[in-house]
Amino acid sequence: MKSSFARAVSTMAMVWAGAVALPAAATEATAVAAAAADAVGTEAVDAESDADRREIIVTGRNEGYLALDIVRASKTPTSLVDIPQAISVYTREQIEDQALQDLADVLRYTPGVSTNQGEGHRDQISIRGQDTTADFFVDGIRDDVQYYRPLYNLERVEVLKGSNALLFGRGGGGGVVNRVTKTPVLDETFYGGSASVDSFGAFALTTDINAALGESVGLRLNAMYEEFDNHRDVFEGNRIAINPTAGFRIGEKSRLVLSYEYVDDDRIVDRGIPAATGGTVANPAGPVRGFYRTFFGSPELNTTTLEAHILRGRLEHDFTDNLRYDMTVQYADFDKAYGNLFAAASNLAAGRVTLDSYRDATQRENFFVQGNLVWTGQTGAISHTLLAGYEYGDQRSANSRQNGRFANSGTNIATFAFTDPLVIPAITFPVNNRNTVSDVTFYSVYLQDQIGLGDHFDVVLGARYDRFEIDVNDIQGGRQLSRTDTEWSPRVGLIFKPLEQVSIYASYTKTFLPRSGDQFLTLTPAQATLAPEAFDNYEFGAKWDIAANLRVSAAVFQLDRENGVVVDPANPANSLITGSRTRGFEAQLTGQVMPGWQVNAGYSYLDADERGRVVAGAVANRAIGQVPRHLASLWNRYDVNDRLGFGLGVTHQASQFASISNIVRLPAFTRVDAAVFFKLTDQIEAQVNVENLFDERYFPASHNDNNITTGEPVNARFTVRARF
């Protein structure tokens, strides 16, 4: 690992020095005032307060755990209660209260979403039974490279459920996750940061500095440094990220935000433990017992590195009070590499283990342009929120993979005597087994109108046209392949509002995913002949703003996937084409139950199965892997007074199959978390978070039948946070 504690201290010292050197004329803001300013958005269409004008760009407003108005990914100034789609929003306040460190931690508290292992080197999730490594966005722009996304610079996380290509474009079969970043606040200067350490020895440092330079210019700097550690025999690494942002108010009607983010992430790749032998569909096996901390890999070879440079510019212009335009341009350069030695099989009772091996490297450049024109107005007695938009993207990727060659087998797979730690036979990576250069270009236009018919009915009608082109130069195979797909994606929604704060809705949405997987690194002759996968989402739901700061929502849905692709459990190098259907229910309660008591509670039921699988002339559909039937979560914070508060959380995950083979099952578990909050001064807060309070032994995720993640035992994280 190339970073060190000394590098961390040096980096953060420079950042803090910058904070101290802010202009003396800047007024000092209290923690409460700064938090209020951060929470304010400019999306309020009616009377804007002075505080509303401080935010340079639309981010949406939060009050504690509740998002009060729009979500960035919806692209229109529409209240959450009026969007015919299940949406979960996690605010910065809740992320800080739970001391969450990664996106996967946030999504564990999201109904309908489960986290997968991601082979130990990336975010990978399942939304409504649809596995994905690519359906991630930042400020409404695609962020599909495989890596672990940090939380240090976020205002909130938005999870939009259900297929919806009109808003997101290709992919997003089960939904998408959108991160909303912090932006400069005008007319105010503040600075702060946090330091935390857990009982394993992992620690993190963050800083957040905002400088107002006159009435029309603001600068904001968010930065972090983190060292990793956990309960496993082998795990370490570090991550550094820096995100300076400049905001400009250009006259009375235009706003410009320019942002740069640098992320450097080095860590051990850990693919967990294998399953016990002898599992069958009738009697599935579980994770092997007695090896909870054992590392089935090589500390020298199981490593991953990421270096990312992301530049983004967003321009907003108000033509009139009712007509506004925004355009976002993003260029990103990612350099990602990782190595994997992992358990392919085991018979530990007999003292034998089998490892597979490979190395993989990807360089990708993304260039995206997205524009949206939004008009709100009336035609007679009918109201409209009209969205017209376009998107262009160019993604260039170079990918290489080398299978390992063990000295004792001459192949990428070796079986040998088990020891703890493993004594791995000599291995080399002599030749490329894959070497491709791919170019993906897409053009999209979309149109949507949310039509208000009187006081009680809204109709949402829209469609998106996508042209998707992929060209792959298979250098290793000596061939060039290409395919072009054109797709129309409709969106239809009907909303009934018996009261202003209540909506009952029905919706139909659709999306597609071209062949070549969700990373578009390769294309085979067979894939080049196949139509894209199709996803159809049917949903019926209700939302109720019980009070100004308390909301409940619920939805039932059916999501059908045609021509889907899953990994063949009998041969992971191959894929199987299959359909699937997920039927489910989800509900969520978020906000302030009573003064001093905030809550976020969620539950989902998912029934996800194959469709159309036939074996020996009989239907033999299997359950989709890594989809727990029941997910439940509850997080509470109760403030006894202005200085002392307590937190208590519970998550429950039902048992789930490790893969579509259905021969390995991860057991159900319930985990309890707790926290204590201390306000030491008006500017300084401290907290202690205890995860897995009752030391539950659990297995939260997997990648396949022999790569199963072990959950952390009881541990504590101590955090001090300051804001001046």
Side-chain angles (χ1 to χ4, degrees):
M1 302 300 167
K2 62 189 179 186
S3 296
S4 65
F5 180 78
R7 177 183 172 189
V9 173
S10 175
T11 300
M12 301 310 294
M14 288 188 293
V15 171
W16 278 98
V20 174
L22 289 173
T27 59
E28 186 175 273
T30 66
V32 174
D38 264 354
V40 172
T42 57
E43 197 57 55
V45 177
D46 298 325
E48 250 187 349
S49 67
D50 290 339
D52 289 330
R53 294 189 181 95
R54 290 177 179 171
E55 191 73 26
I56 188 73
I57 195 169
V58 177
T59 59
R61 295 185 297 124
N62 307 326
E63 182 171 308
Y65 295 173
L66 187 67
L68 293 182
D69 49 18
I70 69 163
V71 291
R72 166 65 62 82
S74 73
K75 295 183 170 59
T76 61
T78 306
S79 299
L80 281 167
V81 73
D82 294 329
I83 298 176
Q85 181 177 7
I87 300 173
S88 298
V89 180
Y90 289 85
T91 65
R92 185 184 69 251
E93 290 84 351
Q94 185 177 348
I95 292 171
E96 291 180 348
D97 283 354
Q98 293 186 257
L100 304 179
Q101 301 299 304
D102 284 292
L103 196 57
D105 297 330
V106 176
L107 298 178
R108 288 191 183 100
Y109 280 82
T110 306
V113 181
S114 57
T115 58
N116 299 342
Q117 184 189 90
E119 296 185 281
H121 67 86
R122 65 183 181 234
D123 289 322
Q124 185 165 350
I125 60 175
S126 176
I127 308 179
R128 293 188 171 178
Q130 310 305 313
D131 181 73
T132 180
T133 68
D135 294 327
F136 301 96
F137 289 70
V138 58
D139 293 330
I141 301 297
R142 189 172 297 276
D143 175 38
D144 58 1
V145 174
Q146 295 180 341
Y147 71 108
Y148 287 114
R149 293 156 177 84
L151 307 179
Y152 73 105
N153 61 341
L154 298 190
E155 187 69 36
R156 60 191 195 180
V157 176
E158 305 167 344
V159 187
L160 291 80
K161 298 16 166 338
S163 319
N164 195 336
L166 188 145
L167 293 180
F168 318 134
R170 58 76 174 19
V176 304
V177 177
N178 182 53
R179 295 177 294 145
V180 179
T181 59
K182 298 175 182 178
T183 52
V185 178
L186 298 184
D187 303 327
E188 187 174 3
T189 293
F190 56 85
Y191 58 95
S194 68
S196 67
V197 61
D198 72 15
S199 49
F200 297 118
F203 70 88
L205 305 170
T206 72
T207 192
D208 183 0
I209 302 169
N210 188 90
L213 307 178
E215 297 182 355
S216 300
V217 180
L219 300 178
R220 193 160 189 174
L221 174 67
N222 286 273
M224 69 163 291
Y225 180 84
E226 184 176 11
E227 290 273 2
F228 306 123
D229 205 348
N230 65 12
H231 65 295
R232 301 282 286 158
D233 285 343
V234 178
F235 186 70
E236 63 177 355
N238 55 72
R239 174 168 57 184
I240 185 170
I242 302 173
N243 180 203
T245 306
F248 308 89
R249 187 177 295 278
I250 306 169
E252 293 295 322
K253 296 183 178 296
S254 299
R255 297 161 298 279
L256 174 66
V257 171
L258 302 176
S259 171
Y260 165 72
E261 183 175 15
Y262 171 76
V263 181
D264 187 325
D265 189 323
D266 297 348
R267 67 178 75 199
I268 291 288
V269 173
D270 181 7
R271 290 180 63 159
I273 65 174
T277 57
T280 65
V281 173
N283 186 25
V288 65
R289 299 292 178 171
F291 302 92
Y292 203 71
R293 291 177 167 83
T294 303
F295 182 64
F296 289 82
S298 163
E300 292 77 28
L301 298 177
N302 283 62
T303 61
T304 180
T305 62
L306 168 85
E307 187 169 8
H309 302 268
I310 305 165
L311 295 94
R312 186 182 309 113
R314 180 178 173 94
L315 175 67
E316 295 182 346
H317 179 72
D318 300 332
F319 292 102
T320 67
D321 290 342
N322 299 323
L323 181 65
R324 61 185 58 189
Y325 171 77
D326 67 74
M327 181 179 71
T328 303
V329 178
Q330 175 176 294
Y331 170 80
D333 186 325
F334 300 90
D335 192 345
K336 168 73 181 288
Y338 65 95
N340 250 326
L341 270 67
F342 57 96
S346 69
N347 188 348
L348 301 186
R352 307 293 286 174
V353 65
T354 300
L355 295 190
D356 201 344
S357 58
Y358 68 90
R359 294 193 309 193
D360 189 283
T362 299
Q363 295 80 42
R364 174 173 293 174
E365 292 183 69
N366 285 346
F367 178 71
F368 299 125
V369 180
Q370 183 188 105
N372 299 285
L373 185 68
V374 179
W375 175 70
T376 56
Q378 299 278 138
T379 56
I382 300 174
S383 66
H384 300 269
T385 300
L386 184 66
L387 166 69
Y390 62 89
E391 190 168 13
Y392 166 79
D394 185 18
Q395 299 180 261
R396 299 176 184 271
S397 305
N399 174 255
S400 63
R401 177 168 294 202
Q402 302 88 34
N403 289 342
R405 182 176 295 170
F406 287 98
N408 69 337
S409 67
T411 71
N412 59 297
I413 297 176
T415 300
F416 54 95
F418 171 76
T419 57
D420 191 2
L422 297 180
V423 179
I424 299 172
I427 183 173
T428 59
F429 298 85
V431 298
N432 281 332
N433 297 93
R434 183 171 74 207
N435 188 9
T436 63
V437 176
S438 61
D439 189 0
V440 167
T441 306
F442 64 88
Y443 311 84
S444 308
V445 291
Y446 45 92
L447 183 67
Q448 175 187 280
D449 195 5
Q450 182 148 351
I451 306 167
L453 305 175
D455 295 330
H456 300 293
F457 287 96
D458 282 1
V459 177
V460 178
L461 297 173
R464 178 179 181 125
Y465 172 80
D466 283 280
R467 179 181 175 87
F468 183 92
E469 303 170 356
I470 178 171
D471 297 291
V472 176
N473 180 8
D474 183 352
I475 300 170
Q476 192 70 22
R479 62 192 176 195
Q480 294 185 332
L481 295 168
S482 63
R483 180 179 171 92
T484 299
D485 292 294
T486 57
E487 294 288 334
W488 286 94
S489 303
R491 185 187 191 193
V492 180
L494 177 63
I495 304 168
F496 170 57
K497 300 193 67 177
L499 300 171
E500 179 63 28
Q501 65 272 27
V502 177
S503 67
I504 301 169
Y505 68 87
S507 68
Y508 167 74
T509 50
K510 185 180 180 71
T511 193
F512 69 99
L513 181 63
R515 295 300 170 177
S516 187
D518 57 14
Q519 292 297 315
F520 305 109
L521 299 176
T522 65
L523 190 66
T524 67
Q527 290 172 329
T529 66
L530 296 174
E533 299 178 53
F535 303 78
D536 296 276
N537 187 78
Y538 307 85
E539 187 169 326
F540 179 80
K543 300 177 183 180
W544 178 22
D545 286 345
I546 301 172
N549 52 6
L550 183 64
R551 177 180 299 123
V552 65
S553 61
V556 293
F557 59 86
Q558 176 177 299
L559 197 160
D560 291 334
R561 181 177 188 174
E562 299 177 4
N563 301 321
V565 176
V566 297
V567 174
D568 182 356
N571 184 357
N574 294 334
S575 298
L576 302 175
I577 296 178
T578 182
S580 69
R581 169 170 287 175
T582 304
R583 286 176 169 165
F585 165 80
E586 67 176 65
Q588 191 163 20
L589 174 70
T590 310
Q592 184 173 288
V593 178
M594 61 178 60
W597 180 16
Q598 294 191 87
V599 65
N600 191 340
Y603 168 77
S604 63
Y605 169 84
L606 299 174
D607 184 8
D609 296 290
E610 285 182 300
R611 299 182 71 197
R613 180 173 181 259
V614 176
V615 176
V619 175
N621 293 331
R622 298 165 294 186
I624 300 299
Q626 302 172 63
V627 183
R629 184 157 291 193
H630 301 278
L631 286 166
S633 62
L634 171 66
W635 174 260
N636 304 266
R637 171 169 175 163
Y638 181 72
D639 291 321
V640 178
N641 52 45
D642 291 342
R643 298 291 182 183
L644 179 65
F646 296 94
L648 182 65
V650 181
T651 56
H652 172 77
Q653 182 171 292
S655 65
Q656 60 179 322
F657 290 112
S659 79
I660 202 169
S661 74
N662 288 192
I663 65 172
V664 174
R665 183 187 286 274
L666 310 188
F669 68 88
T670 301
R671 195 187 82 186
V672 178
D673 303 330
V676 182
F677 307 98
F678 308 93
K679 193 168 186 179
L680 305 178
T681 70
D682 288 343
Q683 290 80 33
I684 301 174
E685 299 177 349
Q687 66 188 71
V688 180
N689 293 78
V690 180
E691 181 185 278
N692 196 6
L693 184 64
F694 299 116
D695 204 21
E696 173 87 353
R697 181 153 290 196
Y698 67 102
F699 305 89
S702 66
H703 182 68
N704 55 39
D705 291 343
N706 282 294
N707 298 159
I708 299 170
T709 299
T710 65
E712 292 184 345
V714 59
N715 64 93
R717 177 172 288 272
F718 305 86
T719 304
V720 177
R721 187 175 294 108
R723 194 120 182 215
F724 301 95

